[in-house]
Amino acid sequence: MQIVPTSLVRITRYYMIAAVFYLLITLATGIIRALTPLPSPLVHWAPSVLAWVSFPIMGAYYQFFPTLQGRDLRWERLTLPQFVLANVGVLGLIGAALLGNQPALVAGSTIFTAAALLFAAIIVFANLDTTKVTLTLRFYLASLAYFVIAVILFFLKSLGISPIWASTAFLLHLFATGWAILAIMGAEYAMVPMLQLKELRYPRLADAQFYLANLGIGGLAIAMAIGNGPLIAAAGSLTLIAILVFVYNIIASLTYGPSRMAHLDISVKYFLVGIVYLLVTALVGILVAAFRWWSVVPIHLHLGLIGVVTLTIVGGTYHIVPFVVWWEVYAPKLGYEDVPMVKQLYNERSANWQLYGFNAGLILMIGGFALSANYLLAAGGTILVLAALAYAREMINVVGHRKNLAKPATQKAAEKAVGGKV
Amino acid sequence: MATVTEQQVIEKLREVMDPHTGSNVWDMGMVKDLVLEENRLSLRFTLTSNFCPIGMQLGLALKRKLRELPIEKIDIKIENYLRAEELEKVLEDI
């Protein structure tokens, strides 16, 4: 009897590790883009938005939904084909964008759309108990709706038949705010108190904040579709208020009552820095819309995608990846023999340094955009790559613990018979 | 059968580590209302989160550790856990 089936732990790991690979591709294409024009911006943002941002969310949902619902997914067997489809779709899109091949772009977009719709179907139609939809799951389901809409519009855009209002900026906002930010809020409402051994201070306020956030983000999407600057600024302000309420609740949860943890969990550190960037990103976005500061758009975009989304994903994976590996390798041994703690599966000092690295890289990059200095962009990008490489190495080390998996009895018997490894 | 003391039970509980925090379940305050009478033990095991993903494993580890003591009967009541009833049933059988 398992609350999270091993196959779901495995698919979560696949998604998280694949995401690290796409992070490196995103950063590499970003640096190249700073130095020389790319054939299409899609070369940079397909691995970024569709993989680095989306894959960890998909991986996390595959683990969170069964855990928070206390039941298995009925269509669990489809998760692996769904993962393969998603990868083929993203790689196809990158290849097509590099070659400027329109039919290949349509094929890649079709495959990715199929993967996204299959993912949504597995989550929603395959055993969801609507009586047990918690606050976090409500955020996740809303974010999933935004994801599906964004993917369909992206698909139509690749076919050249999307509505005129579905601009790239509009799509990016659907992915970044609707899909990613709602997922982040839902995850942090559950994870921050859990990781710091606290309770969510104001659950009813969080309930109300869910509607406020959707009002803001939905309003932002409508305002962007209309293309009205003051309306975008107004909806952005509503979103900012929702973010402030969210931040207040998280800080109140962390500071209320005695602490049973000596220090901040590494994931929570990343989350808190990400929250600071979330506030700054929203504020910059409002200023862009209100004063038509279009030159500031790249700053707004990178603050959001690196400062908010990347830091939160890295922080989240520092909990999820060690946990899923620990669960697979060591949970069955708990109580029978000494097992390492989840935190012992990675080097926390290195994770702290990576946080500094990501911040330093991002700040240099923002300076590069502000001063239109490509050398600063490349320098910032290089520091980000170094931090990402250290992060990738840490994730690979964590997964390396799988060598300690207990061998099946049949394999042990075979090895005994031949007197060596089989 | 040797008589087990409350202190021995607590020492066993201190060997059950929460893999998230690195602390043991006793010092984390997850075990409450520990009663040891006539070699029969009862306690309440309260998970830190209703959705604790390793609640099952922690419950099993707790029972395995306590089973190392010569105690006639061990009753564990699970609290603050989505699958409390299911876990209690499993723990009864080991």
Side-chain angles (χ1 to χ4, degrees), chain A residues 139-391:
Chain A
F139 270 95
Y140 284 179
L141 288 170
S143 85
L144 193 58
Y146 281 105
F147 178 59
V148 170
I149 295 168
V151 168
I152 290 172
L153 286 172
F154 170 69
F155 172 60
L156 295 177
K157 203 173 176 65
S158 73
L159 295 177
I161 54 169
S162 66
I164 195 155
W165 44 263
S167 62
T168 302
F170 173 85
L171 286 181
L172 282 175
H173 272 84
L174 279 190
F175 278 117
T177 56
W179 169 230
I181 300 300
L182 286 180
I184 285 171
M185 286 176 173
E188 291 188 4
Y189 272 134
M191 287 176 76
V192 171
M194 183 190 82
L195 292 170
Q196 288 302 128
L197 298 179
K198 299 268 190 174
E199 295 284 330
L200 182 62
R201 182 74 178 96
Y202 301 112
R204 289 174 74 176
L205 182 64
D207 277 332
Q209 192 266 345
F210 167 76
Y211 296 105
L212 191 62
N214 275 284
L215 209 60
I217 290 169
L220 190 60
I222 293 167
M224 288 192 78
I226 297 169
N228 182 311
L231 205 59
I232 295 172
S237 302
L238 197 60
T239 309
L240 181 62
I241 293 168
I243 293 169
L244 285 169
V245 174
F246 165 72
V247 173
Y248 171 72
N249 211 345
I250 291 291
I251 301 297
S253 306
L254 285 175
T255 52
Y256 182 71
S259 180
R260 285 182 283 171
M261 296 278 284
H263 52 80
L264 280 179
D265 180 271
I266 186 70
S267 300
V268 176
K269 277 188 201 171
Y270 272 88
F271 292 163
L272 291 179
V273 179
I275 283 175
V276 173
Y277 282 116
L278 179 59
L279 287 167
V280 178
T281 305
L283 201 60
V284 172
I286 292 166
L287 294 175
V288 167
F291 300 106
R292 297 174 181 272
W293 289 349
W294 306 127
S295 60
V296 183
V297 167
I299 294 179
H300 172 61
L301 193 68
H302 286 82
L303 277 173
L305 286 178
I306 300 172
V308 183
V309 180
T310 296
L311 288 186
T312 308
I313 290 173
V314 172
T317 51
Y318 264 116
H319 168 69
I320 295 171
V321 177
F323 171 74
V324 295
V325 171
W326 185 93
W327 197 94
E328 216 177 340
V329 179
Y330 299 111
K333 300 172 183 173
L334 193 65
Y336 287 119
E337 58 184 78
D338 285 339
V339 295
M341 300 294 104
V342 175
K343 283 179 189 302
Q344 289 173 317
L345 267 55
Y346 60 87
N347 183 338
E348 194 164 349
R349 207 169 151 204
S350 170
N352 271 310
W353 276 105
Q354 288 153 37
L355 180 59
Y356 300 135
F358 281 119
N359 274 287
L362 176 58
I363 290 165
L364 272 180
M365 193 174 259
I366 297 304
F369 283 122
L371 303 170
S372 298
N374 276 0
Y375 67 94
L376 274 182
L377 285 178
T382 306
I383 293 175
L384 285 174
V385 168
L386 291 174
L389 283 171
Y391 162 66

Side-chain angles (χ1 to χ4, degrees), chain B residues 40-57:
Chain B
R40 295 164 79 94
L41 173 69
S42 70
L43 58 86
R44 284 192 296 129
F45 185 48
T46 309
L47 276 297
T48 54
S49 162
N50 201 18
F51 311 106
C52 178
I54 51 158
M56 290 289 173
Q57 283 77 12

